Amino acid sequence: MKKIEFYRHNIGREEIKELTKVLKSIFLTTGPVTKRFEEELSRYMGIKRVLGVTSATAGLFLILKALDIKEGDEVITSPFSFVATANSILYCGAKPVFVDADPETGNIDLNLIEKAVTPGTKAILPVHLYGVMVDMKKLSSLAEKHNLKIVEDSAHCIEGETDGIKAGQLSSGAAFSFYATKNITSGEGGAVGLNDEALADRIKVLRLHGMSADAADRYTKKFIQYDVPVVGYKYNMFDIQAALLLNQLKLIDKRWKIKKRLYDYYCQKLAGIEEVKVPKIPARVKHSLHLFTVRVPPAKRDEILWKLQQKGIGVAVNYKPIHLFSYYQKTFGYRQGMFPAAEQIGKSTITLPFYSRLKKKEIDHIVRSLKDALL
Ligand SMILES: *Cc1c(COP(=O)(O)O)cnc(C)c1O
């Protein structure tokens, strides 16, 4: 059996054609193609405004910054995520306050949030882990009660829904990622979705040096002198990225359906293997199907990872909980044992290859290898 990569992107002829057009155009930077992608993503998501940025990490930071989250503030988030989630809070000088995960989904446990609210709490930053959307109706009523903002880490979740609600619809803003292994990708890239026009305007300025007009504004419209009313950053998506994303966005639902069949096939093949559990998807959730994870006995986990690697199968661990990283322990006094559900999942989880180009016979091989590794 050939190597089964952890991820294989789906950039093909159409994307290369779009990219070539951009490379032959005047605007390599933020221009008409970025604008078109922003409009199409906002239509797809049902969000008023989308702004392209260079990563989801930058997007999360920009939303928090535009909400005026700063030193002395606290932001409640999940320790069971990629470190970028909590890092974006640190960039604002604020403190990430972790709340343990739901043992089944790994998403932030909504029942534990209220206990973590203090007078310093300004916002809640949920993560739609693997593509399973947090119950945003429940979370938004909780946030309203305590007068808190919500910023969504939706790096995994473009296609997902809970109760028909998509990411970015019931929050101040959501950040999406187009990193190399995400459902649609430009290698690196991101976007923010916002429903508040004023907040979107602030982020548009913050994403490009704090300038009141960007290069496309100056070049294609009547020349105006720009002002710099605030110190901004350099996080603007550019047309080369957008060119790669347009067609992938167009095909996103078609590819979701392919992945749904592969997801069901995985579940069917894994059913009955006693030591392997697939996390249940709550009813009312449409999974974006970003990652496919299984849980195995913690004592065997690392050995299984190595055995799968030896068979040429790409694997990952999503995630080691953030509070276990030394910086977070040193700086905030977080310790092992503080978030037992997150730690338990962190010790037992394995992410298997999962993408629309994966073949059923590759899944057969993966499952067979997993069985062998358990012996
Ligand atoms: C990938 C990822 C990010 C960061 O996305 P970038 O676009 O690489 O900045 C943030 N949060 C989660 C949960 C992710 O998986």
Side-chain angles (χ1 to χ4, degrees):
M1 195 91 190
K2 260 196 356 233
K3 194 168 179 339
I4 303 176
E5 305 291 348
F6 177 70
Y7 187 77
R8 280 186 289 167
H9 67 71
N10 228 323
I11 288 170
R13 203 173 307 158
E14 271 308 309
E15 286 77 10
I16 293 167
K17 211 169 82 189
E18 270 312 322
L19 179 62
T20 308
K21 266 199 275 179
V22 167
L23 292 176
K24 290 178 177 170
S25 77
I26 293 292
F27 261 90
L28 299 177
T29 179
T30 310
V33 187
T34 302
K35 189 153 184 285
R36 208 165 92 217
F37 174 70
E38 290 171 342
E39 285 166 1
E40 287 183 14
L41 186 59
S42 96
R43 197 170 317 125
Y44 180 84
M45 296 305 302
I47 305 175
K48 264 202 204 127
R49 290 273 296 275
V50 165
L51 292 167
V53 290
T54 43
S55 68
T57 310
L60 287 171
F61 164 67
L62 288 174
I63 302 168
L64 293 167
K65 192 79 193 168
L67 291 171
D68 201 29
I69 306 288
K70 54 186 184 301
E71 202 176 333
D73 293 340
E74 293 179 1
V75 178
I76 291 174
T77 192
S78 173
F80 199 66
S81 182
F82 182 52
V83 68
T85 310
N87 279 354
S88 72
I89 299 167
L90 299 187
Y91 300 159
C92 298
K95 180 185 176 186
V97 173
F98 294 125
V99 162
D100 205 3
D102 174 284
E104 188 64 40
T105 62
N107 275 334
I108 192 165
D109 189 334
L110 299 186
N111 298 315
L112 301 178
I113 287 179
E114 285 196 288
K115 267 192 289 194
V117 175
T118 74
T121 311
K122 292 288 151 60
I124 307 171
L125 203 172
V127 183
H128 306 306
L129 191 74
Y130 308 148
V132 173
M133 260 196 77
V134 167
D135 182 345
M136 287 302 293
K137 280 187 184 166
K138 188 165 168 187
L139 184 63
S140 63
S141 65
L142 231 157
E144 214 166 291
K145 184 170 151 200
H146 295 278
N147 198 21
L148 303 173
K149 305 283 186 197
I150 302 175
V151 178
E152 295 167 78
D153 181 335
S154 205
H156 295 179
C157 194
I158 296 174
E159 308 92 315
E161 293 176 9
T162 291
D163 295 324
I165 305 291
K166 288 175 87 85
Q169 293 181 339
L170 293 185
S171 66
S172 292
F176 304 100
S177 175
F178 313 123
Y179 174 71
T181 56
K182 299 296 182 353
N183 280 13
I184 65 173
T185 180
S186 47
E188 299 284 354
V192 294
L194 312 137
N195 283 305
D196 179 339
E197 296 281 357
L199 190 68
D201 290 341
R202 277 178 81 178
I203 291 176
K204 192 167 179 219
V205 169
L206 284 176
R207 92 173 159 176
L208 190 71
H209 305 298
M211 289 159 68
S212 60
D214 65 15
D217 290 338
R218 296 195 304 281
Y219 190 80
T220 57
K221 296 173 191 163
K222 183 174 171 226
F223 189 89
I224 45 158
Q225 194 53 256
Y226 61 81
D227 183 30
V228 178
V230 291
V231 181
Y233 304 88
K234 187 66 171 78
Y235 289 143
N236 52 308
M237 172 181 276
F238 59 123
D239 279 11
I240 291 175
Q241 289 171 310
L244 291 170
L245 295 167
L246 278 170
N247 188 58
Q248 294 181 71
L249 181 58
K250 202 184 292 168
L251 296 177
I252 197 165
D253 287 326
K254 195 173 143 200
R255 287 182 178 157
W256 183 89
K257 285 183 189 134
I258 295 169
K259 285 184 86 174
K260 180 70 172 70
R261 287 198 288 276
L262 296 173
Y263 180 93
D264 292 341
Y265 190 69
Y266 251 132
C267 290
Q268 180 197 323
K269 286 273 154 185
L270 289 166
I273 307 177
E274 203 190 324
E275 289 181 303
V276 177
K277 297 271 174 286
V278 180
K280 284 192 193 65
I281 307 170
R284 302 150 42 208
V285 167
K286 178 191 171 191
H287 195 328
S288 85
L289 305 178
H290 174 48
L291 296 179
F292 187 87
T293 66
V294 294
R295 307 224 178 115
V296 298
K300 294 186 179 177
R301 199 271 308 269
D302 287 353
E303 206 188 323
I304 295 172
L305 286 171
W306 296 324
K307 285 181 172 169
L308 291 176
Q309 280 184 319
Q310 278 164 14
K311 296 227 173 145
I313 297 166
V315 288
V317 171
N318 303 91
Y319 293 95
K320 174 175 167 173
I322 302 171
H323 71 282
L324 298 180
F325 291 125
S326 59
Y327 180 83
Y328 282 83
Q329 300 213 331
K330 203 168 59 200
T331 311
F332 300 107
Y334 287 121
R335 291 287 174 266
Q336 178 121 26
M338 288 174 106
F339 307 103
E343 290 169 23
Q344 182 60 29
I345 307 171
K347 281 187 288 196
S348 55
T349 189
I350 295 176
T351 310
L352 298 175
F354 187 44
Y355 35 87
S356 58
R357 294 172 65 194
L358 190 67
K359 299 279 169 279
K360 281 188 174 172
K361 70 173 191 328
E362 290 178 316
I363 294 180
D364 292 339
H365 179 66
I366 293 164
V367 172
R368 214 177 308 120
S369 305
L370 183 57
K371 270 187 194 160
D372 291 347
L374 279 160
L375 294 176

